[in-house]
C-alpha cells in the first residue's frame, strides 16, 4: 500500500544516491535552505555525481514506500520506449536522438483555458517534489523509482475542463526523422494514451520531469512524462507534447494495436491474466525470486473507490 511518510521514514539515503552526496543534499533540503537561497541541488554535489543529467530543486513529498529503490543504473538502462527502439537497451543507446529543446506542450479540447506553452513556462508555476512509487510493467517485471514532478491535477485545474470533458488524452512527440522506432510499423504513431478524468485528477497521478533528483533522462521519457503507479507502465506515456480533454474515450496506441491484450484501463490486477501469461507474480529488477503482484500495484486503498461497481475483467 501507499505510505504517507514523514522524512524520517523515507528510504535510507544510501538507497537513492551515493551516501556522501545524499547526506549533504537531504540535510540542506530539510533545513529549507536550498530554495530559500536559490541554490540548485547540483551546487551541493559538485563533480561527485556520475550522471550527466542536470540536477533539480525539489522538496521531499509525503508519498513513498518502505521498499528498497531500484538502482539508478537499472532504471535508466532497462526501458520500454519503442520510439527509441524495441530492445530494452535501445532507449538508453539512442537517447540522444530525442531532441528535447525547444519543447512545447499544447493543452486543448473541452476546456476554458487552452494554450500552447514552452516547457519552461508550462513547468514554472509548479513546485517539484520527490515521490517514490512502485512501477509494474505489463510484461511481468517491476521497479521502485524516486520520481520528481507534480500532480497532474494542477494542470487540469488551470485548464478548467468543461462539463463535456470526461477523459484526458495524451500524445507523445512525432519525429520519425530522428526517432528510429517511429520508422517501424510497430504501432500507429504518434503514441497516444488516455485516462478517465477522475483518474487524471487523482493525487497519485504525476507529471514527472526527473528521477533520482535529476532531470528526466530521454530514455525514461524526458522531458515530461506521465506516472500512474496503479496501472501497467505503458499507460505512463513518455515525452508528452499534447494534453487534450475529450468527451469520448480516446483511442490509445496499445489498445488499438492489440485490444484483446491491452485494455483501456490496464489497472494492475493479479486476477486478470494477460492472454499470454499470468499476472499473479512479478520479477522485481535486481531480485532473483518472483513476488506476488499486488492489486492496483499496492495502491488499492487509494484508488479502489475509482472503480467501485465496475467489472474489472470486462473493463481491464
Amino acid at each position: 500500500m501507499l505510505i504517507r511518510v514523514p522524512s524520517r521514514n523515507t528510504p535510507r539515503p544510501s538507497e537513492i544516491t551515493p551516501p556522501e552526496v545524499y547526506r549533504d543534499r537531504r540535510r540542506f533540503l530539510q533545513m529549507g535552505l536550498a530554495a530559500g537561497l536559490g541554490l540548485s541541488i547540483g551546487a551541493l554535489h559538485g563533480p561527485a555525481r556520475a550522471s550527466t543529467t542536470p540536477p533539480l530543486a525539489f522538496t521531499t513529498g509525503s508519498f513513498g514506500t518502505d521498499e528498497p529503490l531500484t538502482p539508478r543504473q537499472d532504471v535508466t538502462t532497462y526501458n520500454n520506449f519503442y520510439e527509441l527502439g524495441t530492445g530494452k537497451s535501445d532507449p538508453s543507446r539512442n537517447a540522444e536522438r530525442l531532441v528535447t529543446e525547444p519543447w512545447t506542450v499544447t493543452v486543448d479540447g473541452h476546456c476554458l483555458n487552452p494554450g500552447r506553452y514552452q516547457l519552461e513556462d508550462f513547468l514554472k508555476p509548479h513546485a517539484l517534489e520527490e515521490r517514490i512509487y512502485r512501477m509494474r510493467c505489463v510484461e511481468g517485471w517491476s521497479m521502485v523509482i524516486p520520481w520528481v514532478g507534480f500532480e497532474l491535477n494542477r494542470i487540469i485545474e488551470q485548464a478548467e475542463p468543461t462539463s463535456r470533458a470526461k477523459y484526458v488524452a495524451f500524445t507523445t512527440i512525432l519525429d520519425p526523422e530522428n526517432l528510429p522506432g517511429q520508422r517501424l510499423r510497430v504501432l500507429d504513431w504518434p503514441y497516444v494514451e488516455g485516462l478517465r478524468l477522475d483518474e487524471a485528477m487523482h493525487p497519485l497521478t504525476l507529471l514527472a520531469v526527473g528521477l533520482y533528483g535529476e532531470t528526466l533522462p530521454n530514455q525514461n521519457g524526458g522531458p515530461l512524462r506521465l506516472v500512474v503507479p496503479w496501472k501497467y507502465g505503458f499507460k505512463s506515456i513518455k515525452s508528452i507534447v499534447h494534453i487534450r480533454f475529450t468527451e469520448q474515450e480516446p483511442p490509445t496506441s496499445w489498445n488499438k494495436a492489440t485490444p484483446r491484450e491491452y485494455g483501456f484501463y490496464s489497472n494492475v490486477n493479479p486476477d486478470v491474466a494477460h492472454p499470454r501469461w499470468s499476472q499473479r507474480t512479478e520479477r522485481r529488477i535486481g531480485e532473483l525470486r518472483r513476488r506476488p503482484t499486488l492489486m492496483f500495484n499496492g495502491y488499492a486503498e487509494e484508488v479502489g473507490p475509482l472503480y467501485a461497481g465496475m467489472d474489472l475483467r470486462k473493463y481491464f
Side-chain angles (χ1 to χ4, degrees), residues 158-179:
Q158 178 181 314
E160 292 191 63
T162 70
S163 60
R164 295 181 63 185
K166 309 299 182 185
Y167 297 87
V168 187
F170 307 86
T171 306
T172 195
I173 186 175
L174 180 63
D175 185 11
E177 182 177 346
N178 288 304
L179 303 179

Side-chain angles (χ1 to χ4, degrees), residues 161-313:
T162 70
S163 60
R164 295 181 63 185
K166 309 299 182 185
Y167 297 87
V168 187
F170 307 86
T171 306
T172 195
I173 186 175
L174 180 63
D175 185 11
E177 182 177 346
N178 288 304
L179 303 179
Q182 288 187 338
R183 297 193 291 269
L184 305 175
R185 294 185 178 180
V186 180
L187 291 170
D188 183 13
W189 307 109
Y191 194 94
V192 176
E193 258 305 337
L195 297 173
R196 212 169 58 192
L197 185 58
D198 58 345
E199 296 177 316
M201 287 291 294
H202 194 280
L204 282 180
T205 305
L206 202 68
L207 279 177
V209 297
L211 55 76
Y212 271 93
E214 298 172 337
T215 300
L216 195 62
N218 287 0
Q219 61 265 36
N220 293 97
L224 181 71
R225 68 168 289 164
L226 189 67
V227 179
V228 193
W230 69 93
K231 294 179 178 288
Y232 292 118
F234 69 88
K235 293 292 291 185
S236 295
I237 185 172
K238 304 174 176 73
S239 301
I240 296 170
V241 297
H242 194 177
I243 299 173
R244 183 174 182 84
F245 297 95
T246 69
E247 188 170 8
Q248 303 298 323
E249 181 180 292
T252 58
S253 293
W254 277 110
N255 183 243
K256 285 170 59 179
T258 318
R260 179 172 170 268
E261 298 189 357
Y262 305 107
F264 174 81
Y265 286 93
S266 290
N267 293 316
V268 177
N269 189 340
D271 298 325
V272 177
H274 186 281
R276 288 180 282 137
W277 56 80
S278 169
Q279 296 287 20
R280 290 195 174 277
T281 64
E282 64 194 64
R283 177 177 62 89
R284 178 66 51 81
I285 299 299
E287 296 180 355
L288 296 177
R289 295 184 178 180
R290 298 184 69 85
R291 58 169 63 202
T293 293
L294 302 175
M295 185 65 192
F296 295 119
N297 203 26
Y299 301 99
E301 181 177 347
E302 290 76 22
V303 304
L306 294 175
Y307 311 102
M310 284 182 61
D311 182 345
L312 297 182
R313 291 185 178 274

